[in-house]
Structure formats: structure tokens, C-alpha cells
Amino acid sequence: MQDTDARGSSPAFLRPQNGSSHRSSGYVPGRIAPLRPPPPSQSHAAAEFTSARQEARTRLPSLPVDQHRHRAEANRHKNTLICFAISSLSLFVALGIFLGIASKYAPNENCPDQNPRLKNWSPGKDPEKRVFIKKGDFFRLNSDTTVHSIVIQDGGLLVFGDDKEGSKNITLRTRFILIKDGGMLHVGAEKCRYKSKATIILYGKSNEGADVPEFGKKFIGVGPEGTLELHGHQKLSWTLLSKTMYFSGLAYGHYTFKKNFSRGLNVRVIDQDTAEILEVLKFDTHEFAEESLKLQNLLKNGSPGRIVAIAVGDSAAKNLLEETRVTIQNLLGSKFVRGLSYRQAWAFVGVIGGGNSSCNESVRNYENHSTGGKALAQKEFFTVDGQKFVVRAYSEWNDGVPISGFQVEAVGGVILNLLDDVSSWEPGDRIVVASTDYSMYQTEEFTLLPCPECTKHQVKIKENPQFPHIGEVIDGVDMRAEVGVLTRNILIKGETENTCYHEKECQFFNYDTFGGHIKILKNFTSVHLSYVELKQMGQQQIGSYPVHFHLCGDVDEKGGYSFKTYLEGLSIHHCFSRCVTVHATNGLLIKDTIGYDTLGHCFFTEDGIEQRNTLFHNLGLVTKPGTLLPTDRNSSMCIGIRDKVYGSYVPVPATDCMAVSTFWISHPNNHLINNAAAGSQDAGIWYLFHRVATGDSHSLAIETKSELTPLGIFYNNRVHSNFKAGLFIDKGVKTTNASIDDPREYLCLDNNARFRPHQDADPEKPRVAALIDRLISFKNNDHGAWVRGGDILIQNSGFADNGIGLTFASDGSFPNDEGASQEVSESLFIGESKNYGFPGGQNKYAGTGGLDSKARTLPRNR
């Protein structure tokens, strides 16, 4: 099913402004007082001039009898008016120039770094220095800094310096930043985005120093009445390929050949438009004259423009006829073939009919069983799609061994064609391209190169792709790969050790997983993050995630905030514990955010009471298992972590664990729109149902009614390349501690819940059907979608190449909840599409299939 509006457009998602009702007194975020009052609406001179003109108009018609005298007086009055007008006009011009110059150099009141109350601050590099920014402290950071920690409180303000050219490059290293009680940290503002490069590095090991209460270590923390505003340069977050990106950058892949003792002329004929190898031939012109004639006929009958590569193996001269040599000279432009001698190494690349200007060749003489190096010929060409490629041929003798070979490969970068305008992406940016096969490990990262020849819908990558990535709608199902940019000009990074050092984590990871984290507590004043990069963030311990809204309650207008709290355009990658955690928090907007290569559930709603949150146009990919919760764990972690089970119970991975998901939605009253779950170890999107509030929310005794609550908006989401399922609607979690009666760990998977939505979550009221609209699901190993409960309607959706396309499971509640139904309509199911797949990654299964019985990758155990 092709999506004609990949991003959507709804007024519900207009970007909110900064601020909330929990505002502290003093400085208003993102604004400064103007240096001068606005000009009056009408100047004194203008008013005087206007009244003079009006007076002139009233007097001129009433001329007295003495025409001559009054005419002279009128002329003098007219001249006076003209002089006054010229003088006034000159005054206006001068005033305009002055105001223009003043406005050019006046501070922008939307830019926090231009607040006239700020003082330049350069604390230097002292890792033992503990900084407190408090009442009356308004600091502008303008240089690299290393300190132990920073506490911003009591109306204190810290702003990162910037300039119009974006030339600053400021790095702040600290163990933690705590913002509370009216404290404020600003890097840019929504209406004045940060232009320079700002980096905050959070350093420290897990076994160093004491924890800060409620926050732990290595963090940016926002407490009550704290303000955190980070706004980087705005750029398109992610899009889709509009043309397939081929393995190695060429439609038919790269070509490499090398062989010893291949006597005669080894020849390759290559299509100039696609770089496809059309002919692989060898002519033994040393031994047989008829081989020479065959080569001659090949060239004479060849299509003009075809690329021909030739390399001598051993020797080719003895029976290489003169007429064949002349043909090679005339058709291909060779200068050396007429003089080719015994065991002389010769390599040639040229074009049929192209003449000498279109060829490249090299010879090396044979002496003492060696040619002293390669005769190497190479020439560059362009495919019809504009991709540059090189054809190489080589020939040599090395210690009595004749060697010849060929190479055809993309060079100078590979151009990608994209659906949206990506002119905001820059050379040096890192991008990620999603897998379009069964294995999420076919996802690849690339570096952008300068590309003056690219359109605004193209970029050029430095590295050659190792896998193909589909850029088409195949058999009616949109399988175009997601492409996201990871680089932002504001970077928050956890500094890590070179190796794992904490015994608990080292059991499962061979690298340091103690990154930084951002944690926001209830009653913050204002938190808005946009276009920020988070790298090496999160920790393999409960409560420390790249971004964590912790027990914040309502963070939109319902909670008293003037403008909805949001995360927009974040790049969260190579992180150690989730992407965004929404914990007992409602009304949060998460938009245009990428979560890539992370451990544990990525976009995570925690306690089963989180509602009214909107996830809009986010991309999650390569979601790997983590250790925190049973549902995060893979099989070995599930069995190996047993400190919270009862007695000697051994967990069962398939039923207790193995549920790690890119979108983990623990209450149905949340909205998922235009998202992509492009590769998880288990599921792309998993809806589960907590019968009671769990975790920190359990003591609040909040009745979740999640099984009965109608589903929020589910529209135009994509799920693919997941190992277990694309979409999963089923199950709950165990809500009691381990005991002799039930030795399983708290919060392990449980089969105790069934989704049966009713109006107002009241089983006595009518049913409300859950609508799954425009789901795209392909290349999921086990299930395209598994749905239990009802009423559930799936419509306008597409399924292809899944282990099982769609499973409707019984809700199991009959006759207690009679009438549940499940329905699919206006949807397309493709068993085996023309997306044949490619070996590599986790793909272990292959065979033939489809109507054309071609070789293809297969889902596991199918």
C-alpha cells in the first residue's frame, strides 16, 4: 500500500512554544528586554508637516481681490512648504538609515545568548571544581570547560554562547548538571536555533563517587521549577529511499576476478549503462589462431559503446593474428597491441568504437620470470543513473607465476535518491539506512560526502553499501527503506571506558554500558528538546535512560503548562538503555525522533497508566535485548538473571521474556501516527495491558482499565525486519512479586490480559472498535501482525513476505464478553514478493519461491 503523504499534516501537531504554569520569577526563557523603546507611530515632524499641508489646502481656494499680492504670498508659502517637505524627507531617510543600522546590530530578543544581563563565563578546566549557579548569576559559556559538576538553582541561568556565523565550538565536560528551583539551562531557543556546535560530555564510572538523590550519576537532571531548553539547527529527521540502493552501489553488484595461469587474452564485456558484466571470455591466442578470429568477430559484432576489458594471462602473442591486432587497434584504440610480445603483460580498458581517447592501457616487459609489477589499466564511467564506476584490468608475472584479473566497482561515493528534500543534511553527517530484509542487521551507517551534482532529493555516501536496500513499492506494498540523519549540532554524549568493567553487565556485554542520562521530575517549569543528538546515553540500571520523564503527570495544557512539552527531531543512537521513557507521564509529544542501535525497549511507556501521549513520525531501528526487565531480555539473559525469581525457579524464555520492542505501549490510550519500527530482536510495536499500575505507580492505586480502554489513534505505521512480529496486540505483565505460589519474576510476560475496548472503559457500555488503519508490515520473521481480543478492525493495510501475514487469536473470554469480533478489510496480502532479499545479517534461511521460483531469503523455520 503506497502512502501518498508519508509525513501527514494535522493541526494537532503544530509545534508548541516554551513555558508552563510552574514558572519561576525573573528571566523569561528565550527572551530579553529590548534596548530601545519602539518608535512612535507618528513623529512630531510628520504631524507638523501633515497639519501644514492641510492648512495650505484650506487657504489656497480663498484668494483675496489683490491677485498679484496674494499670488506672491502663495508662491512664497508654496516654496516654504517644498523646503519643509524636502527637509522632513531628509530627516526620515536619515532616521531610516539609523534605525536600519541599529536593528542590524541590536540583539535578537528571541535569542537567549543575547540577553544583555548575561556575563561571559569561562571557568576553565578543573575536574574537582563544583559549580553553583544561583540567584543573580546569569552566565554565558563561551569556551571549553571541564568541571566536577554544575548545579543551577534559585533563578540562576546558564546559556551557551553563539554567533551569527555559527563559528563557536563549545565543549562542556562534567559529571552532572542539576537544574532545579528556578534554575535554567539554554542552548538556543525555538525561535532562535543554536547555530554553532555545542557538546555536553557526561563523564565518570559507575563505581566512582556517590549518587545524587533521585538522579544517580552522570546525568542532566531537571527538578521542580527547573528549565531545560535545547534547540539545535533544524533539519529533516528521516525520509524514505525513492530508488533502490544496490549492494556495492551498482545494480549488479561489484565484480572481482583474479586467476593464475589463465593463458591467452582474458576478456570482459561490460554494459556501459549499468556496469553489468555481460560476457566472461578467454581466448587462447597463444596456442590457437582460430581463437584470435573468435575475438576479432566478437569485437566487430559488438555494440558500439560497450566497455571491453582485456588482460593477458601467461602469454597471448604467439597466434594473435595481425588482422586481430589491427581490429583491436581500430575498434578499441589500443596503441600497444600491435607490438605485443611473448609473455609481455598487457592490460586494457576501452570502449567499442571509442578510439584512443576512450581507452587506457599498460604494458610491462617479461624478464627473469617477472614483469616487475602490474600492467594496470583503469577507466571511469557513469551509469545512466549517474553513478560513477571504475573498470580495472591487470596483468603481471610474479616469481614465475602469471596473474591476471578484473575489478568493477563504484567509486567517488554512491548517490542515494530520497523521497523528501534533504538539503538540510550536510557533508560529514552520519546517516542510517534501514534493512528491507528479514534481518535488522542489514541496517547500515554511512558518511555524507560533498555532492555539488546532487539535487535536493539526493545525497552522496562515502562507503559502498554491503546490502541492497529497497526504494520501491513492490507488488503494491511500500517497502522503501527509511533513511535517517544521526548528526546534530547539539550533542549530549556519555563518556565511556574502552572495555566493560562492571561484572554484572560484563556477563552479557563486552563494552562499557554506563552512559549518561537525562531525567526530568514532576513540576518542572519548561522542558523542550529539539534537534539534539544523544549518543552513548543510558545505563543498564533502572531509571537511567537517554531521556526519562519520571512521574511527571500531565505535561500539557491539562497539567497547567501553557504549551505542550515535546521532544522533536532527536537523534538517539548507540545507547545503552532505551530511547525515550515515558513514566507516569501524560500528554507528551514525541515527534521526528530516531532511536537507533539501543538496548531494551526503545520508545517505552512504563507503568501502564501513561495516556494521551503522541508518537508522531518517529523511527526506531536495531532494537537489541537489554537486562533491565524480563521483557527486555533474550534467552541467555532470561535464564542467566535469576536474582528476583523465587527459589530455584528457572525462567522460560519464550513465555517469561523475549519481548523487546521498538514501541512498547502499556496503555491503549496513546496515539501512534506515521511511525516506523524498522528492526527489533522481537517486536516492532507491542500493545500490552497492565491490569494494575506497576512500578513506582503501584502505590498510587490508580485503576488502569487498560484492557477496557479504547485504542488511541493508530494510523500509517510501518513495521518490518523484526525477528518475532511486526505488530503484537496481546498479553500483560505479572503484577505480583515472586512467591512460592508463582515463582516468576515481577513484570515478566503474563497471559493474564485480553483487550476488549468499551466506551468510557465501562464493560456495561457499548463496545468501541479498535481501528488499525494503514499498517505496512513486511519481512517479519514470525508474524506480520498478531492480534488477540476485540473488537479490532484492520483496514487499508499491506502485508508481504512475513512468516505468517496476520493472525487473529481468540480473546478467550466467551461467554463473559460475548460479541468480540476481528475484521480485516481493504488490505493486501503478498506471500512472496519480488523483494528477493540478500544473504547476510541474521538471515540464515534461503531457498526458492515466488511465481518465478527465484532464489530468495526466507523467514526462520519456514
Side-chain angles (χ1 to χ4, degrees), residues 112-141:
D113 69 300
Q114 296 182 32
N115 183 348
R117 300 174 67 190
L118 292 174
K119 298 177 182 177
N120 290 330
W121 184 58
S122 298
K125 297 183 179 182
D126 182 357
E128 301 302 320
K129 186 173 184 177
R130 300 170 188 261
V131 175
F132 292 86
I133 301 175
K134 52 192 182 303
K135 184 176 181 180
D137 294 334
F138 303 104
F139 292 155
R140 180 194 296 111
L141 183 63

Side-chain angles (χ1 to χ4, degrees), residues 602-603 615 618-620 661-665 672 675-677 683-686:
C602 180
F603 296 96
L615 292 99
N618 302 293
L619 168 62
S661 304
T662 300
F663 294 88
W664 180 261
I665 310 300
L672 273 69
N675 299 290
I685 301 173
W686 193 314

Side-chain angles (χ1 to χ4, degrees), residues 228-299:
L228 178 63
E229 296 286 337
L230 307 177
H231 299 275
H233 174 66
Q234 197 166 10
K235 57 172 65 179
L236 181 75
S237 183
W238 65 277
T239 182
L240 303 174
L241 286 177
S242 61
K243 286 186 180 180
T244 294
M245 180 173 71
Y246 298 107
F247 157 65
S248 81
L250 297 172
Y252 294 91
H254 68 261
Y255 176 79
T256 301
F257 173 86
K258 180 181 179 180
K259 192 169 184 179
N260 302 342
F261 298 103
S262 182
R263 190 174 64 188
L265 292 177
N266 297 283
V267 177
R268 301 295 181 268
V269 180
I270 301 142
D271 181 47
Q272 69 273 28
D273 292 334
T274 64
E276 179 187 6
I277 305 298
L278 300 176
E279 306 252 20
V280 177
L281 302 166
K282 182 172 79 70
F283 301 92
D284 188 354
T285 56
H286 173 81
E287 189 69 23
F288 305 106
E290 55 267 31
E291 292 286 289
S292 182
L293 293 175
K294 289 180 182 178
L295 173 59
Q296 184 176 330
N297 289 331
L298 172 75
L299 296 178

Side-chain angles (χ1 to χ4, degrees), residues 551-569:
L551 306 177
C552 292
D554 297 318
V555 297
D556 55 1
E557 292 85 350
K558 187 174 180 180
Y561 287 84
S562 302
F563 304 102
K564 176 178 285 194
T565 305
Y566 65 79
L567 306 175
E568 180 180 1

Side-chain angles (χ1 to χ4, degrees), residues 702-743:
I702 297 174
E703 188 177 7
T704 67
K705 294 187 177 181
S706 62
E707 295 171 272
L708 298 170
T709 302
L711 186 71
I713 300 171
F714 185 102
Y715 179 78
N716 199 39
N717 296 295
R718 301 160 53 87
V719 291
H720 63 89
S721 309
N722 298 289
F723 202 62
K724 180 178 287 186
L727 171 65
F728 206 93
I729 303 177
D730 196 7
K731 299 186 182 294
V733 292
K734 183 173 180 282
T735 57
T736 58
N737 290 321
S739 66
I740 191 171
D741 296 323
D742 187 345

Side-chain angles (χ1 to χ4, degrees), residues 491-738:
L491 170 64
I492 302 175
K493 177 182 177 181
E495 187 175 275
T496 57
E497 303 298 311
N498 294 328
T499 59
C500 182
Y501 58 87
H502 195 277
E503 183 177 351
K504 179 181 177 182
E505 284 76 33
C506 298
Q507 181 182 355
F508 304 107
F509 307 104
N510 60 4
Y511 52 89
D512 183 8
T513 59
F514 193 72
H517 66 108
I518 299 174
K519 188 171 186 178
I520 300 108
L521 302 185
K522 188 178 180 65
N523 291 332
F524 59 85
T525 292
S526 178
V527 172
H528 301 94
L529 309 183
S530 64
Y531 302 95
V532 177
E533 180 180 354
L534 305 177
K535 183 178 181 181
Q536 295 174 192
M537 299 287 279
Q539 301 165 5
Q540 279 295 295
Q541 58 187 36
I542 296 292
S544 299
Y545 315 118
V547 183
H548 180 194
F549 285 86
H550 180 69
L551 306 177
C552 292
D554 297 318
V555 297
D556 55 1
E557 292 85 350
K558 187 174 180 180
Y561 287 84
S562 302
F563 304 102
K564 176 178 285 194
T565 305
Y566 65 79
L567 306 175
E568 180 180 1
L570 303 191
S571 165
I572 304 170
H573 64 96
H574 299 94
C575 287
F576 309 129
S577 182
R578 317 209 184 290
C579 304
V580 178
T581 293
V582 183
H583 186 189
T585 297
N586 311 309
L588 178 66
L589 172 63
I590 306 171
K591 178 183 178 184
D592 289 332
T593 290
I594 298 172
Y596 163 58
D597 195 359
T598 57
L599 304 180
H601 305 303
C602 180
F603 296 96
F604 176 63
T605 59
E606 187 162 349
D607 284 352
I609 63 169
E610 297 80 12
Q611 300 188 54
R612 300 185 300 98
N613 300 291
T614 299
L615 292 99
F616 181 79
H617 198 256
N618 302 293
L619 168 62
L621 60 173
V622 190
T623 305
K624 300 176 182 178
T627 63
L628 299 189
L629 297 178
T631 53
D632 288 314
R633 299 170 191 159
N634 62 17
S635 179
S636 61
M637 294 171 181
C638 188
I639 296 171
I641 301 174
R642 296 165 56 185
D643 55 330
K644 294 181 182 177
V645 303
Y646 184 85
S648 59
Y649 174 74
V650 178
V652 181
T655 56
D656 292 1
C657 307
M658 295 178 66
V660 65
S661 304
T662 300
F663 294 88
W664 180 261
I665 310 300
S666 61
H667 195 285
N669 187 24
N670 292 287
H671 309 301
L672 273 69
I673 303 166
N674 291 359
N675 299 290
S680 171
Q681 186 62 38
D682 289 308
I685 301 173
W686 193 314
Y687 283 92
L688 74 158
F689 308 94
H690 291 223
R691 288 204 156 173
V692 298
T694 59
D696 291 329
S697 301
H698 180 71
S699 61
L700 303 177
I702 297 174
E703 188 177 7
T704 67
K705 294 187 177 181
S706 62
E707 295 171 272
L708 298 170
T709 302
L711 186 71
I713 300 171
F714 185 102
Y715 179 78
N716 199 39
N717 296 295
R718 301 160 53 87
V719 291
H720 63 89
S721 309
N722 298 289
F723 202 62
K724 180 178 287 186
L727 171 65
F728 206 93
I729 303 177
D730 196 7
K731 299 186 182 294
V733 292
K734 183 173 180 282
T735 57
T736 58
N737 290 321

